[in-house]
Amino acid sequence: MKNSIKLTLVVLIALQGTFLYPGGKHVASYTRMKVDARALAMGGAFTSACDGIESMFYNPSGLMYSEGIELGTMFSSGMAFDRSYNFAGVSTLLNTELKQAIGVAGMSAKLDGIPRYANSSSLNPSGEFSVDETSVMFSYASYDKRVDSYWGATLKLFNSSVDNDSKTGVGVDFGVMTEPLDNMKLGIMVKDIYSKVGSEQISPSVNMGLTVRSLNDGKKSIDTGILASFEAGYIFDGESGVQYAAGLEYYLNYNDNIAFIPRAGL
């Protein structure tokens, strides 16, 4: 077994947009925003492209592609209305022979300085309050040789505090990933199969993704390649339509230590 530690630190300044999904209308809407710099750069088309700690968010079956122990963090600052949005987690392969992986991560979103009014007819605020939401995720992934595919599940524990009124909840995600060809991956993620915060149900969603990779396999002095990812997603809330995303990644690897990898997404 090859042991390795991968550390990713992402700092987002003035994060804009919701990347594939609108968020404000849904309970625990912060869980619809995206994480990971690579995924953000590729437009959020990551259901079939994830291959590390970020898989806990996009498709837990992708943990099977991780390399040993992986640490990932994302911190945001400079967002409008004094908002913050953060992610941190760790994952590891249990054993390459057993083909199992686990991970644990946390997400948080906070909004401060919201005006408080005594009643609906008040013109001047009487003070301010904040909204503080967090979730802890526990993921497990494994390989099923009967169908030659990876699968993974994530258990989520929610806590939501609005003006010091706290509610808790639980949620479940499930994902599958397979490789019909050596350079192709297909992924399906069912998010919030059953998820509630207090008495409010979180609308489930389904994402389906296709990732295709083209590499020269070291036949040139400088390794080059392209990875393209496409995705369609739908939230079962009776309001949202099908949302699409696409991402492109170009590899220019000079050696094991130096690489140039521009990315684009929409």
Side-chain angles (χ1 to χ4, degrees):
M1 176 180 176
K2 180 182 178 181
N3 293 317
S4 64
I5 297 178
K6 177 181 177 182
L7 174 63
T8 303
L9 174 63
V10 180
V11 180
L12 297 182
I13 307 299
L15 182 65
Q16 301 292 330
T18 55
F19 309 98
L20 188 63
Y21 284 121
K25 298 181 293 183
H26 306 276
V27 60
S29 59
Y30 70 100
T31 62
R32 305 254 187 229
M33 296 175 68
K34 305 302 180 183
V35 303
D36 185 74
R38 181 183 174 214
L40 291 171
M42 294 178 65
F46 232 54
T47 296
S48 56
C50 59
D51 56 8
I53 182 63
E54 76 285 347
S55 300
M56 296 184 63
F57 181 90
Y58 293 100
N59 185 340
S61 62
L63 287 174
M64 294 303 301
Y65 293 91
S66 60
E67 300 178 0
I69 300 173
E70 294 199 6
L71 307 174
T73 61
M74 183 186 83
F75 301 98
S76 64
S77 65
M79 299 174 70
F81 304 109
D82 200 19
R83 292 179 295 170
S84 65
Y85 179 57
N86 306 309
F87 171 89
V90 58
S91 67
T92 182
L93 292 172
L94 292 178
N95 189 300
T96 54
E97 295 181 359
L98 294 176
K99 295 184 177 181
Q100 297 173 331
I102 57 173
V104 59
M107 295 177 63
S108 68
K110 190 171 183 178
L111 175 59
D112 288 319
I114 305 173
R116 179 192 291 110
Y117 295 89
N119 53 60
S120 58
S121 62
S122 298
L123 298 179
N124 298 314
S126 59
E128 295 181 344
F129 69 95
S130 62
V131 176
D132 193 354
E133 298 187 281
T134 60
S135 61
V136 179
M137 299 176 285
F138 303 92
S139 294
Y140 172 82
S142 185
Y143 172 73
D144 191 331
K145 64 180 180 180
R146 296 169 298 181
V147 292
D148 192 25
S149 300
Y150 299 114
W151 67 269
T154 297
L155 173 66
K156 302 180 292 188
L157 304 179
F158 300 106
N159 184 78
S160 177
S161 176
V162 179
D163 197 13
N164 296 319
D165 180 18
S166 296
K167 297 179 181 179
T168 59
V170 64
V172 177
D173 299 338
F174 183 81
V176 176
M177 200 176 296
T178 187
E179 298 181 41
L181 299 173
D182 289 341
N183 64 340
M184 179 185 294
K185 291 197 298 182
L186 297 174
I188 299 177
M189 170 68 159
V190 183
K191 202 176 185 73
D192 298 310
I193 297 174
Y194 175 84
S195 297
K196 293 184 71 175
V197 178
S199 60
E200 297 183 77
Q201 188 87 29
I202 300 177
S203 300
S205 63
V206 175
N207 284 51
M208 294 178 288
L210 166 67
T211 297
V212 180
R213 183 191 299 268
S214 174
L215 294 172
N216 67 23
D217 296 327
K219 296 178 182 179
K220 299 179 182 179
S221 58
I222 298 177
D223 292 340
T224 61
I226 295 175
L227 182 145
S229 188
F230 310 92
E231 184 162 322
Y234 183 78
I235 304 176
F236 294 91
D237 60 358
E239 301 177 13
S240 305
V242 178
Q243 304 290 322
Y244 300 95
L248 190 67
E249 187 175 66
Y250 178 71
Y251 288 85
L252 187 59
N253 297 332
Y254 293 94
N255 53 49
D256 292 339
N257 299 315
I258 301 176
F260 176 65
I261 311 176
R263 303 178 177 106
L266 51 86

